[in-house]
Amino acid sequence: MKAVVFHKNGGPEVLQFEDVPEPEAKPFEVVVKVRAAALNHLDLWLRKGIPGRPTPLPHVSGCEGAGDVLAVG
């Protein structure tokens, strides 16, 4: 699947549109086929880096979305 990913913190120039593995639902998780998404301030803060709270990298952007549940863990 395609996703917007960043491999290091920074401005919009660190964003890359690339192929990532299909997600699998772990226990207590769901996989959602996203039909609509929005940019949230959390997306911006994570990309820039939050002091004292490191973001695991690479990171797939997207904190708000709506769609269809495909799998339940």
Side-chain angles (χ1 to χ4, degrees):
M1 70 177 221
K2 294 285 191 180
V4 175
V5 179
F6 59 89
H7 296 267
K8 62 181 179 179
N9 296 111
E13 69 279 356
V14 301
L15 298 174
Q16 299 176 347
F17 186 61
E18 58 188 55
D19 290 309
V20 296
E22 292 285 337
E24 294 183 16
K26 297 176 184 150
F28 306 104
E29 293 182 345
V30 296
V31 174
V32 177
K33 181 175 183 174
V34 177
R35 302 284 187 174
L39 181 66
N40 182 307
H41 283 293
L42 182 57
D43 294 308
L44 302 176
W45 297 332
L46 289 173
R47 183 188 36 128
K48 290 179 182 178
I50 300 173
R53 183 160 181 132
T55 302
L57 298 173
H59 180 78
V60 176
S61 293
C63 295
E64 291 192 14
D68 303 317
V69 175
L70 297 180
V72 178

